Amino acid sequence: QALTCFSDFTEMMRALGYPRLISVENFHSPNFPLVSEVLLWLVRRYEPQTDIPPDVETEQDRVFFIKAVAQFMATKAHIKLNTKRLYQADGYAVKELLKVTSVLYGAMNTKGVEHAGASEEDSSKFKFDLGSKNADLKAARQLASEITSKGASLYDLLGKEVELREARTESIARPLEINEAEKVMKIAIDCVLEQVQKTKDMLNNVALDEASLEAKIEKRKLELERSQKRLQTLHSVRPAFMDEYEKTEEQLQKQYSSYLEKFRNLTYMEQLLDDHQQAEQEVFE
């Protein structure tokens, strides 16, 4: 049954266009880098714009990566993954990976893909990504609404052209009075001078604000220098109980290694028990 499961997994991955060859020897021992690479490839195959970080160097990064992938699959694809088996990164992790690959493989068959061994580059030529078109769609909708509003206002203005034409002709035919024109020009000059004075006042205020900001920046620089000196002093001082902390941390690491070994053995024995019970049930039936 395990060989059949692994065979289905490799065939589906090859059909989906995975660039590497996967063999059963890759999962005889825990191989977390390969499992994380396959998971990230499947997630990006499902949604290319995903932002799951690919860092799996430390233990915390691996735990965060597995949780992020499981949460993504549960919310986006409604696929429930066993995080413990994925973290084991052995043969049991293949069953969890098969849940995702079977969904993608079924979707590919539904769309009528004829060549299961096509490469990912060939299949990506005909893939339409709606996520990259969202910005263009919003811009097109905004332009359409602006065109509609501009057309309506232009229609209203053209409707008033008959009245405006008469008023415009009357204004052009009326003789120009020098005194009235001079009065209008003086009013316009006074308005311009007032705007110039307001602009000068604003520039003066900007200069004052600039001086105030420079003083604040200098004060912050002094505070930063004092904080850096204090930080260097704290770095040079060894904290209390540090030796005891390091010993405890070393013991904790050993206990954790022992826990992982026992947990793996327990999972293996549970699997053997399930297989034995299933075999007895088949014989009984």
Side-chain angles (χ1 to χ4, degrees), residues 249-261:
E249 186 178 11
E250 184 179 357
Q251 293 177 0
L252 179 62
Q253 187 66 30
K254 293 180 180 179
Q255 293 293 333
Y256 182 71
S257 301
S258 177
Y259 165 74
L260 287 181
E261 182 179 0

Side-chain angles (χ1 to χ4, degrees), residues 218-262:
E218 189 66 24
K219 182 179 179 181
R220 295 296 183 184
K221 285 182 179 179
L222 294 176
E223 292 178 357
L224 178 61
E225 290 178 358
R226 288 196 296 267
S227 299
Q228 288 179 348
K229 290 180 180 179
R230 185 179 178 185
L231 180 62
Q232 291 177 359
T233 304
L234 292 175
H235 282 167
S236 61
V237 178
R238 184 176 178 83
F241 307 105
M242 194 64 188
D243 296 335
E244 183 179 355
Y245 170 77
E246 291 177 352
K247 292 180 181 179
T248 306
E249 186 178 11
E250 184 179 357
Q251 293 177 0
L252 179 62
Q253 187 66 30
K254 293 180 180 179
Q255 293 293 333
Y256 182 71
S257 301
S258 177
Y259 165 74
L260 287 181
E261 182 179 0
K262 292 180 180 180

Side-chain angles (χ1 to χ4, degrees), residues 60-82:
Q60 294 180 353
D61 293 337
R62 294 182 177 185
V63 173
F64 180 78
F65 176 79
I66 293 296
K67 287 183 177 180
V69 171
Q71 184 177 4
F72 174 84
M73 285 300 172
T75 55
K76 298 292 184 180
H78 302 288
I79 301 175
K80 184 177 180 181
L81 298 177
N82 190 328

Side-chain angles (χ1 to χ4, degrees), residues 3 36 61 71 78 86 132 155 174 191 211 254 256 263 272:
L3 292 176
S36 62
D61 293 337
Q71 184 177 4
H78 302 288
L86 287 176
S132 61
Y155 179 78
R174 188 174 57 185
C191 291
K254 293 180 180 179
Y256 182 71
F263 176 77
L272 291 179

Side-chain angles (χ1 to χ4, degrees), residues 86-98:
L86 287 176
Y87 190 83
Q88 290 178 223
D90 52 9
Y92 297 109
V94 177
K95 295 182 179 180
E96 304 302 318
L97 295 175
L98 187 61

Side-chain angles (χ1 to χ4, degrees), residues 178-285:
I178 300 299
N179 295 331
E180 185 178 355
E182 185 179 357
K183 186 186 296 184
V184 174
M185 290 299 294
K186 286 182 178 180
I187 294 173
I189 291 172
D190 292 339
C191 291
V192 172
L193 292 175
E194 184 180 357
Q195 292 293 331
V196 170
Q197 187 62 34
K198 289 182 179 179
T199 305
K200 288 181 179 179
D201 295 339
M202 292 175 64
L203 289 175
N204 293 331
N205 293 332
V206 169
L208 294 175
D209 294 340
E210 184 178 359
S212 177
L213 288 174
E214 288 180 354
K216 290 182 179 180
I217 291 172
E218 189 66 24
K219 182 179 179 181
R220 295 296 183 184
K221 285 182 179 179
L222 294 176
E223 292 178 357
L224 178 61
E225 290 178 358
R226 288 196 296 267
S227 299
Q228 288 179 348
K229 290 180 180 179
R230 185 179 178 185
L231 180 62
Q232 291 177 359
T233 304
L234 292 175
H235 282 167
S236 61
V237 178
R238 184 176 178 83
F241 307 105
M242 194 64 188
D243 296 335
E244 183 179 355
Y245 170 77
E246 291 177 352
K247 292 180 181 179
T248 306
E249 186 178 11
E250 184 179 357
Q251 293 177 0
L252 179 62
Q253 187 66 30
K254 293 180 180 179
Q255 293 293 333
Y256 182 71
S257 301
S258 177
Y259 165 74
L260 287 181
E261 182 179 0
K262 292 180 180 180
F263 176 77
R264 193 180 302 278
N265 293 333
L266 177 62
T267 305
Y268 176 72
M269 296 300 293
E270 288 177 351
Q271 184 65 30
L272 291 179
L273 180 60
D274 292 340
D275 296 340
H276 180 69
Q277 291 177 353
Q278 185 176 0
E280 287 185 350
Q281 183 66 26
E282 291 178 356
V283 171
F284 177 74
E285 292 179 354

